Amino acid sequence: MPDDFHDVRFPLDIALAASGGPEWRTDVVTLGSGHEHRNARWAHSRRRYDAGYGVKSLDALAAVLAFFEERRGRLFGFRWHDRLDGKSCVPSGVPQPTDQVIGEGDGERVAFQLIKTYGAVHDPYERRVMKPVNGSVRVAIDGIEQSAETFTCDTATGLVTFAAPPEAGQVATAGFAFDVPVRFDIDRLEVDLAAFTAGSIPKIPLVELID
């Protein structure tokens, strides 16, 4: 991803009013009896967005045009802020170092991938967080927050590295804000200025990059 990814965020004022969310791919076969067989084709969800809903002015549209040109259409990925799902906690909350479990120490391991877990009872889904927001990551060991000097976090991969390995059985947790790595899902940005002036919303589809 590094060679074809620009570590820059899509204009935030536009992203905040966009639409979109996660997508799964499931095969559903209906038998003659009416019963169904369902099979998950993807191990992980993939998010899709439409930035067009956030474009409210010609100046905003011009900002998207410039951003689109610099990304060369679908060629280069970039960061996208998901207002609904961009923190380790609820959208209105402040990330705490105990929000998400990211692993258990064994006395040797020092690197832990940031993870956000959805659900808790039936079949929790773990999502790897690859693009944390710089300066937002807080970590704890067995509930005790660690100082910034005791760990680093790679904002390009979401990998937390401790200066000293947590002891065996100690639980590492983290709180953070994060972006979604995406790309444009079009190579042609078509704008009808007359329709836009009349209130028509341009289509600007984005799709999550899966590493």
Side-chain angles (χ1 to χ4, degrees):
M1 185 181 296
D3 292 338
D4 58 4
F5 187 86
H6 292 170
D7 195 24
V8 61
R9 183 185 266 182
F10 187 89
L12 185 59
D13 57 334
I14 300 172
L16 290 178
S19 67
E23 172 189 19
W24 288 89
R25 185 64 56 85
T26 307
D27 287 332
V28 180
V29 177
T30 303
L31 305 179
S33 62
H35 291 89
E36 292 182 346
H37 284 172
R38 295 181 297 277
N39 182 59
R41 294 180 59 186
W42 292 354
H44 297 282
S45 61
R46 189 178 199 184
R47 281 151 178 76
R48 291 183 180 274
Y49 304 96
D50 189 342
Y53 288 92
V55 178
K56 305 299 183 183
S57 68
L58 282 177
D59 287 350
L61 189 56
V64 172
L65 175 64
F67 195 89
F68 179 83
E69 291 280 44
E70 191 173 8
R71 306 289 89 71
R72 274 58 166 186
R74 294 184 294 177
L75 184 58
F76 292 103
F78 52 91
R79 287 174 175 261
W80 170 264
H81 175 69
D82 187 331
R83 185 180 182 184
L84 175 62
D85 191 8
K87 295 180 182 179
S88 56
C89 55
V90 296
S92 62
V94 176
Q96 300 298 313
T98 55
D99 283 345
Q100 301 288 330
V101 174
I102 60 173
E104 184 175 307
D106 58 9
E108 297 181 1
R109 178 185 176 191
V110 295
F112 295 79
Q113 177 67 49
L114 288 181
I115 291 172
K116 182 172 182 180
T117 301
Y118 299 80
V121 179
H122 300 288
D123 189 12
Y125 170 61
E126 292 186 351
R127 174 189 179 189
R128 290 192 303 166
V129 174
M130 309 296 291
K131 301 296 178 186
V133 175
N134 188 35
S136 73
V137 179
R138 303 169 64 185
V139 301
I141 300 295
D142 277 353
I144 301 175
E145 184 168 10
Q146 306 297 294
S147 65
E149 295 76 23
T150 63
F151 73 94
T152 60
C153 181
D154 188 338
T155 57
T157 64
L159 195 66
V160 171
T161 303
F162 290 99
E167 296 179 6
Q170 288 187 320
V171 177
T173 56
F176 44 83
F178 63 96
D179 293 322
V180 183
V182 301
R183 63 166 171 79
F184 287 104
D185 202 23
I186 50 173
D187 274 326
R188 178 187 179 188
L189 185 60
E190 186 172 359
V191 179
D192 185 335
L193 290 179
F196 179 76
T197 303
S200 178
I201 298 173
K203 283 286 187 181
I204 309 175
L206 311 173
V207 61
E208 182 179 7
L209 297 172
I210 303 298
D211 189 3

